[in-house]
Amino acid sequence: TNLCIVAGGAFSVNEFKFGSYSPGRLTLTDGADVQVLPYAQSFGNLNGKGSELVVANGAKVRVQRLNNATSGAEVNRTVYFGWTSGYDTALRIAGGEWTDRSASGLYFGQNGQGRLVVEDGAVESQNFRAAGAPCSTGVITSYIHQVGGRITASVDGAQGKWASVTAGYNESHHGHVILEGGVMQTPQLQGAGGVGYLTANGGTVESWWNIDTSYTFIHGFARAEIGAKGLTVDTTKCSAQIAQDFTNMKGERGVFRKVGAKLLELAPPSKWDVAETRVEEGTLKVVNADETLETALVLTNGATLSMVGAASTLTLDALAVTDGTIELDAGDTVVVPADRVSLVG
């Protein structure tokens, strides 16, 4: 179908397929409850420029694991938007919920362009990947675009290592994660193939793994930028490490906020160009031996900057400590312009 609205009701399907030869839109709304059966072989293989599946106003979609029709054994399965040669094929979450137990996850793009847009509500899957496709004029980029709501990368609903949000795949499959609001819960937010991009201009990324040791959390992007509305990283669940350069967004410099009691490591960016780095809870540890961060560092609420066992010289644009601690080894140095230091408490 090219246009369909399902308001309320509960039903099960093997496959959604619409807009095969021209743009199509399916809207699930008003509490519609859709279960995709375990033996479904495809889902979201939507063709046609501008096709869109909208989950709105309390509607729910539950994608089950795929089982082998003969043995019943579980097999990996990927849900694609933009699998075929169509362009701009989207899944839009607008106040509804999408729960995916399909093992491999949700992929946007492959031979066409795919987009995930989260405005409100929640979407959960093991893996999210935006990876576009080659075309006659170059390369099409696929997008994961969050302006509100919640994105959760989990393993069967639980925190686990083998889950991620990824942009890019290889030189022919580019991806871009745009975070403008809401909360993204993921063990890893990463770029791949040298063609993944991250724009953070609002919103929170929460480290989402059930371990006690630090692990590489945000990494691998060819370009990552923080805009005027900033980025918050939450380490309440577990410690984490950022191994990623961050630049300004077209000249706009925002605030990087660390919240959550557990450790966050910087290991090591060669470019950290943000107006302020605010440590509001827990510890920020600088791992590189000699680091220059183009930022004003602010410690509040008993937070800690640590250089112990790692950094020997740290150069900052400014330093403000209203209620916090700086931990140093003997011989460590923090270099700040004299007129840009404020120490209170």
Side-chain angles (χ1 to χ4, degrees):
T1 181
N2 283 350
L3 177 62
C4 182
I5 298 175
V6 178
F11 57 96
S12 300
V13 298
N14 276 347
E15 179 182 8
F16 283 137
K17 192 169 185 178
F18 59 93
S20 294
Y21 301 101
S22 61
R25 173 179 288 184
L26 172 62
T27 299
L28 305 173
T29 188
D30 295 348
D33 191 341
V34 181
Q35 179 176 343
V36 183
L37 298 177
Y39 291 103
Q41 296 300 313
S42 61
F43 185 86
N45 294 347
L46 315 179
N47 306 320
K49 186 174 182 179
S51 292
E52 187 172 55
L53 173 59
V54 181
V55 186
N57 298 330
K60 295 180 180 180
V61 177
R62 292 169 289 143
V63 184
Q64 305 300 312
R65 279 194 186 275
L66 175 65
N67 296 324
N68 182 281
T70 301
S71 67
E74 294 179 351
V75 296
N76 286 337
R77 170 164 167 253
T78 302
V79 177
Y80 286 96
F81 285 82
W83 167 262
T84 54
S85 58
Y87 301 99
D88 194 18
T89 303
L91 169 63
R92 183 180 299 273
I93 309 298
E97 296 180 11
W98 177 292
T99 304
D100 180 11
R101 295 287 185 265
S102 59
S104 290
L106 273 167
Y107 280 31
F108 299 89
Q110 181 70 14
N111 302 304
Q113 184 184 45
R115 291 186 300 126
L116 170 63
V117 180
V118 182
E119 299 171 350
D120 189 15
V123 55
E124 180 186 322
S125 183
Q126 180 163 330
N127 293 292
F128 298 80
R129 183 189 290 273
C135 67
S136 59
T137 58
V139 176
I140 303 165
T141 300
S142 289
Y143 295 89
I144 295 171
H145 188 181
Q146 184 174 11
V147 296
R150 176 173 53 83
I151 293 175
T152 302
S154 66
V155 179
D156 286 338
Q159 298 165 248
K161 177 180 179 180
W162 306 115
S164 65
V165 177
T166 304
Y169 180 65
N170 59 30
E171 63 183 15
S172 298
H173 297 81
H174 293 204
H176 195 162
V177 174
I178 301 173
L179 182 60
E180 296 183 320
V183 176
M184 178 181 290
Q185 300 170 319
T186 178
Q188 293 190 81
L189 175 57
Q190 61 187 0
V195 291
Y197 306 94
L198 171 64
T199 297
N201 195 26
T204 297
V205 181
E206 183 179 349
S207 59
W208 194 247
W209 199 358
N210 54 351
I211 61 173
D212 293 328
T213 57
S214 179
Y215 70 99
T216 306
F217 175 42
I218 301 177
H219 64 102
F221 291 98
R223 184 184 71 247
E225 54 191 11
I226 296 179
K229 295 181 181 179
L231 170 66
T232 298
V233 168
D234 186 343
T235 58
T236 298
K237 297 291 184 182
C238 62
S239 299
Q241 183 183 96
I242 295 177
Q244 177 66 54
D245 292 357
F246 275 98
T247 64
N248 63 68
M249 189 177 77
K250 299 179 181 178
E252 294 183 348
R253 303 176 79 222
V255 175
F256 177 92
R257 296 174 63 243
K258 181 224 177 292
V259 299
K262 295 194 176 181
L263 175 70
L264 179 65
E265 295 180 328
L266 299 184
S270 59
K271 186 76 172 177
W272 189 266
D273 182 10
V274 297
E276 280 188 8
T277 299
R278 296 185 60 87
V279 187
E280 299 181 3
E281 293 178 280
T283 298
L284 177 70
K285 183 171 184 176
V286 179
V287 174
N288 203 20
D290 295 286
E291 190 66 83
T292 297
L293 304 180
E294 297 176 60
T295 189
L297 179 65
V298 180
L299 302 178
T300 65
N301 302 321
T304 299
L305 168 69
S306 175
M307 297 168 57
V308 174
S312 55
T313 302
L314 175 64
T315 303
L316 302 168
D317 289 348
L319 174 64
V321 181
T322 58
D323 178 16
T325 302
I326 299 176
E327 295 180 344
L328 307 173
D329 285 326
D332 283 351
T333 305
V334 179
V335 180
V336 189
D339 61 346
R340 304 202 68 190
V341 177
S342 174
L343 304 176
V344 180

